């Protein structure tokens, strides 16, 4: 079984090389060497000339280009939606102070509107930097903020008088909300430019 697979892979590699640019270029140069041999220009060393020309052609041929993998942005958002669902389940089990809880609710609603399947999510998927920023917030920033709050709250009970941990949590959530609003504004700007571009195109077409 293993021998059969190994043989199949070897045959595939051999066929791939026969069709490669290196082999085609080397063969073309080798044909030139055969022509020199037939005319007698290569002398008695014509086999070495043919092999040398083939090797030279194979060396100067451009390398084969391996196409990079294609990633479907919609699939990335699908995975992110699943992670967002797990985040919401986790947060539903956590007790937060009212102010922080209200800010977190606003933040999650904004994330949810961006991730809801539809044309908004399509605009988001077309912007890798925005997808990265939202992924970082959902998978790292929000859970880290809530978890560190819970840990600090326990320590604060042992050592009262320090800065209340809910203050830090509120500040962190405010920063994340501002970041999400900037992200949303950036996507809105993309759509605005798209509309303006279409207006310009129609006006120029009308003048022509």
């Amino acid at each position: 079984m293993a021998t059969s697979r190994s043989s199949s892979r070897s045959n595939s590699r051999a066929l791939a090389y026969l069709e490669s640019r290196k082999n085609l270029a080397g063969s073309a140069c080798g044909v030139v060497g055969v022509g020199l041999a037939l005319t007698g220009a290569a002398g008695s060393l014509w086999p070495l000339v043919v092999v040398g020309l083939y090797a030279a052609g194979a060396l100067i041929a451009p390398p084969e280009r391996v196409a990079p993998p294609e990633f479907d942005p919609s699939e990335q958002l699908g995975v992110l939606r699943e992670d967002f669902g797990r985040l919401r389940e986790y947060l539903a089990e956590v007790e937060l102070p009212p102010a922080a809880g209200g800010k977190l609710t606003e933040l999650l609603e904004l994330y949810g509107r961006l991730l809801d399947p539809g044309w908004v999510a399509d605009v988001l998927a077309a912007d890798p930097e925005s997808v990265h920023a939202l992924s970082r917030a959902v998978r790292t920033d929000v859970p880290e903020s809530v978890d560190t709050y819970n840990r600090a709250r326990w320590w604060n009970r042992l050592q009262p008088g320090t800065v209340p941990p809910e203050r830090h949590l509120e500040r962190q959530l405010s920063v994340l909300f501002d970041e999400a609003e900037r992200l949303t504004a950036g996507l809105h700007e993309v759509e605005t430019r798209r509309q303006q571009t279409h207006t310009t195109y129609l006006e120029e077409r009308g003048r022509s």
Side-chain angles (χ1 to χ4, degrees), residues 2 6 29 78 121 173 176 193 201:
S6 176
C29 291
L173 294 176
L176 290 173
R193 287 200 301 268
Y201 161 72

Side-chain angles (χ1 to χ4, degrees), residues 1-2 4 16 18 45 47 49 52 83 90 93 130-131 142 153 183:
M1 200 62 183
S4 175
L18 289 176
L45 299 178
V49 172
D83 293 342
Y90 158 69
E93 302 296 326
S130 294
V131 173
V142 173
R153 182 176 59 170
L183 187 153

Side-chain angles (χ1 to χ4, degrees), residues 118-190:
W119 68 268
V120 175
D122 292 340
V123 175
L124 173 64
D127 187 348
E129 291 186 6
S130 294
V131 173
H132 172 72
L134 188 55
S135 300
R136 180 182 57 198
V138 168
R139 293 167 176 157
T140 303
D141 296 335
V142 173
E144 179 71 11
S145 296
V146 173
D147 186 55
T148 53
Y149 160 75
N150 282 323
R151 292 170 180 266
R153 182 176 59 170
W154 186 86
W155 286 106
N156 188 255
R157 291 170 181 170
L158 297 180
Q159 191 179 9
T162 57
V163 178
E166 54 266 25
R167 297 272 183 84
H168 285 289
L169 177 60
E170 291 169 15
R171 289 166 58 187
Q172 291 167 7
L173 294 176
S174 294
V175 170
L176 290 173
F177 188 81
D178 291 343
E179 183 181 78
E181 284 195 319
R182 287 195 299 272
L183 187 153
T184 304
L187 297 178
H188 178 214
E189 185 178 351
V190 170

Side-chain angles (χ1 to χ4, degrees), residues 58 69 97-98 114 138 152 164 172 200 203:
L114 289 170
V138 168
Q172 291 167 7
T200 302
E203 289 175 346

Side-chain angles (χ1 to χ4, degrees), residues 24-91:
L24 294 176
S27 298
C29 291
V31 169
V32 173
V34 172
L36 293 175
L38 292 176
T39 60
S44 60
L45 299 178
W46 67 266
L48 294 178
V49 172
V50 172
V51 172
L53 288 174
Y54 175 88
L59 286 174
I60 64 174
E64 295 295 320
R65 176 183 174 273
V66 179
E70 295 183 1
F71 298 103
D72 186 352
S74 61
E75 290 183 2
Q76 297 182 47
L77 283 190
V79 176
L80 182 54
R81 286 190 192 101
E82 295 177 1
D83 293 342
F84 180 59
R86 285 195 289 271
L87 174 64
R88 301 195 77 153
E89 291 175 0
Y90 158 69
L91 295 174

